[in-house]
Amino acid sequence: MIQSPHLRPVTALRPLTTAHLAQTMTLLEMNAAELDQKIEADLASNPALEIKDTRCCPQCRRPSLESGLCPRCNASHNLSKDEPIIFVSPRQDFYRPGVPIQEDLPEDNLPQITEDLPTYVLRQIAPELPPNDRRLAAYILSNLDEDGLLEVPLVEVSRFHHVPLSRVEAVLGLIQRADPVGVGSPSPQEAMLAQLEVLAETQPVPPLAEQAIRVGLDLLSRHQYVELGRLIGAPSRQVEQLAHFISDNLNPFPGRAYWGDIRQGKGVSPPVYTFPDVVITPLTESLEPILVVEVVSPYAGMLRINPLFRQALNQAPSDRADQWRSDLEQAELLVKCLQQRTHTFVRLITRIAILQREYILHGDEYLQPLTRACLADELHLHESTISRAVASKTVQLLNGHIVPLAKFFDRSLNVRTALKQIIAQETNPLSDSQIVGLLKCLGYSVARRTVAKYRAMEGILPSHFRQNHQMHENS
DNA sequence: CTATGGCACGGATT
DNA sequence: AATCCGTGCCATAG
């Protein structure tokens, strides 16, 4: 149900209300990229629609206001910092933050396709892959579990595709060396071995590491150094260093904690999402900047009913009249629904920008736990409307990271980052219940059990598998 | 006895 | 109506 008291006379539509509602819902669910496609399709098939010329802002090429400048360049600098500047911008490719505006964007600068883990990996290895092995690779990658490990036995893959096992292994070898190193391995053990191998190419690794992982991974994870030392023939002191090295550098679950956090890491962070639906930038560089929130909505303000078409309707050939009339109605409906969609979305994002200002400026730790229901109540919308509006949309933050809009509704992110900080700073491993105490001091009240779950989510090992962070570096 | 993981329940989310 | 998430209770390992 759309019910919005502040809404313009959109309510005074037509007897089309059911169709209107239905389409608004559908549109609301789409993100910018999908909407773009949809509108392009409509433009192509419906002669009643046309694109109206718009003037561009001379400074940034966004469509301009009456004054000639766009809302951003036109904004005065002495507004209240609590009031974000919000405006709607029609096309993603008019403007790319951080990238100087160019007349022609080079080919490889165009929007990336939305990538999930399998696609991301596939793109990396495709060049090295013989064409007939591509399907094989794609098949393997589509059978990864959420940890980035292969769920299906290799033999089965080979049988399914009627190729020798050796070929499957060769392809898998390539996959394992692609970016989340170790991805696609059949077991944590193999993942770690692959990582070790890659690591060895750039830096020295302890000679016994490989053996330790091969024969004693379970001992390693249980901290049973003496036992392990006996097994691989090394003093327990050396084994301890070994364990330290392993837990610092290797990750048994290559796919985990990979999508969430895009840190400086080693390489460049992979672009995971397409163009964002919202771009947030500071108006000026300062500690307490005014936020500029740009809502990307394809063709916003550029779409209208072709006036010529409307005129021509009267003189329509009788056999075509019905068709034309329905085209016109559809076009009108689309335009109204789009207005409705942007309006709802703008109200939503405005509220979010105000409520989550601290988060936008200062990062994960300051994210307010916010529920859709609560926002729905404030905006007098139905919660399902919020859900639809939030679904599958992304926001680009000040630091250039693109995150799903749903992240603004994450109930536990702030606690999880606090937890990560605690663990990063700990000198010796803290137990979960000790962490509960520390979190409580910070004002986060969570159950002991929950801390364990958060750890798992972040890919942090249990305390007895973690190492003292004070001593460091082997020779 | 302490630290964790597993299972299941209730409320929130979609 | 189906699913996800935080939590409590219990079993297990050290």
Side-chain angles (χ1 to χ4, degrees):
Chain A
M1 265 295 177
I2 298 247
Q3 19 160 316
S4 172
H6 318 300
L7 212 53
R8 288 183 285 200
V10 181
T11 3
L13 252 178
R14 297 262 157 180
L16 296 169
T17 45
T18 50
H20 174 226
L21 274 165
Q23 186 162 9
T24 313
M25 285 306 186
T26 325
L27 292 180
L28 204 55
E29 273 178 347
M30 298 191 205
N31 60 28
E34 292 159 352
L35 192 61
D36 193 51
Q37 279 186 7
K38 150 90 177 144
I39 295 181
E40 260 168 39
D42 276 26
L43 271 172
S45 68
N46 191 332
L49 279 176
E50 73 166 8
I51 297 179
K52 137 178 94 173
D53 287 338
T54 38
R55 280 180 309 165
C56 288
C57 171
Q59 292 180 30
C60 67
R61 291 190 61 211
R62 293 190 193 91
S64 59
L65 301 170
E66 306 304 320
S67 68
L69 291 174
C70 74
R72 188 182 200 279
C73 301
N74 193 40
S76 72
H77 287 214
N78 48 11
L79 296 165
S80 154
K81 66 180 171 62
D82 298 324
E83 283 292 318
I85 300 166
I86 312 243
F87 65 94
V88 183
S89 174
R91 282 285 296 237
Q92 306 94 309
D93 46 295
F94 274 9
Y95 163 68
R96 297 199 57 188
V99 179
I101 307 294
Q102 298 170 8
E103 282 304 311
D104 303 316
L105 290 170
E107 194 59 35
D108 49 49
N109 230 358
L110 288 178
Q112 271 97 13
I113 314 299
T114 311
E115 290 192 320
D116 48 9
L117 183 57
T119 327
Y120 173 61
V121 177
L122 192 57
R123 280 165 63 101
Q124 294 175 69
I125 60 169
E128 303 175 50
L129 210 57
N132 13 347
D133 279 345
R134 290 216 176 166
R135 285 184 52 199
L136 197 53
Y139 176 81
I140 294 177
L141 287 168
S142 63
N143 280 293
L144 301 181
D145 64 11
E146 54 183 10
D147 291 331
L149 299 175
L150 186 61
E151 294 177 306
V152 189
L154 282 188
V155 208
E156 208 162 291
V157 180
S158 110
R159 204 176 319 138
F160 186 81
H161 281 262
H162 307 290
V163 297
L165 194 56
S166 60
R167 243 178 83 192
V168 180
E169 279 168 354
V171 172
L172 188 63
L174 269 176
I175 293 178
Q176 285 176 305
R177 301 176 70 84
D179 179 42
V181 182
V183 66
S185 307
S187 68
Q189 190 175 33
E190 294 210 30
M192 293 170 81
L193 286 173
Q195 289 161 15
L196 192 65
E197 210 172 288
V198 172
L199 208 58
E201 289 166 10
T202 56
Q203 60 168 274
V205 300
L208 285 174
E210 180 182 342
Q211 207 190 342
I213 296 172
R214 274 192 202 287
V215 300
L217 191 59
D218 52 334
L219 292 178
L220 204 57
S221 56
R222 289 179 198 183
H223 234 223
Q224 296 175 339
Y225 297 142
V226 190
E227 192 79 11
L228 182 59
R230 202 172 302 141
L231 202 55
I232 62 177
S236 64
R237 182 172 158 66
Q238 196 182 338
V239 175
E240 245 176 76
Q241 285 189 353
L242 199 57
H244 185 192
F245 171 85
I246 289 175
S247 75
D248 264 5
N249 292 293
L250 306 183
N251 174 6
F253 310 105
R256 202 187 278 182
Y258 167 69
W259 295 114
D261 111 331
I262 310 175
R263 307 241 102 203
Q264 66 276 12
K266 45 201 162 80
V268 281
S269 61
V272 181
Y273 299 101
T274 48
F275 269 109
D277 296 273
V278 176
V279 180
I280 303 181
T281 43
L283 183 59
T284 50
E285 291 298 333
S286 82
L287 284 175
E288 292 295 324
I290 298 169
L291 292 179
V292 179
V293 179
E294 178 171 2
V295 176
V296 175
S297 176
Y299 297 99
M302 301 173 63
L303 214 54
R304 69 167 176 190
I305 310 293
N306 187 337
L308 295 178
F309 186 90
R310 199 190 287 276
Q311 277 177 23
L313 190 61
N314 298 328
Q315 310 142 22
S318 54
D319 55 331
R320 285 297 190 82
D322 281 349
Q323 175 65 41
W324 285 22
R325 189 178 311 279
S326 108
D327 277 349
L328 183 67
E329 272 177 16
Q330 239 179 31
E332 282 175 339
L333 183 64
L334 180 72
V335 173
K336 297 277 186 196
C337 289
L338 274 166
Q339 270 183 19
Q340 173 77 276
R341 181 194 116 106
T342 8
H343 183 248
T344 314
F345 193 67
V346 163
R347 292 211 306 142
L348 176 77
I349 201 71
T350 309
R351 199 69 197 123
I352 291 181
I354 295 172
L355 288 173
Q356 301 286 26
R357 180 165 208 279
E358 292 305 308
Y359 161 69
I360 293 165
L361 291 174
H362 303 121
D364 290 356
E365 202 188 337
Y366 297 90
L367 185 75
Q368 295 287 325
L370 177 66
T371 72
R372 291 159 172 82
C374 146
L375 205 58
D377 198 42
E378 282 188 29
L379 297 179
H380 306 288
L381 294 166
H382 197 298
E383 1 178 304
S384 79
T385 311
I386 306 278
S387 273
R388 287 164 190 273
V390 166
S392 80
K393 304 214 172 46
T394 56
V395 182
Q396 173 161 26
L397 301 176
L398 304 190
N399 54 18
H401 291 185
I402 297 179
V403 303
L405 185 53
K407 187 167 175 179
F408 286 81
F409 296 92
D410 194 320
R411 271 177 295 172
S412 61
L413 190 73
N414 51 357
V415 190
R416 290 211 307 274
T417 47
L419 175 119
K420 270 199 282 189
Q421 284 181 1
I422 290 178
I423 288 181
Q425 287 165 14
E426 76 186 2
T427 48
N428 48 350
L430 295 165
S431 77
D432 286 354
S433 26
Q434 286 172 301
I435 294 176
V436 170
L438 291 174
L439 283 173
K440 192 158 278 173
C441 296
L442 293 171
Y444 303 115
S445 166
V446 285
R448 192 276 308 165
R449 192 63 193 76
T450 311
V451 171
K453 293 238 166 163
Y454 288 168
R455 262 197 308 102
M457 266 187 222
E458 301 294 340
I460 299 170
L461 298 159
S463 63
H464 48 269
F465 190 69
R466 273 181 264 138
Q467 295 297 310
N468 281 357
H469 249 264
Q470 48 190 12
M471 54 172 250
H472 237 111
E473 301 311 306
N474 38 24
S475 61

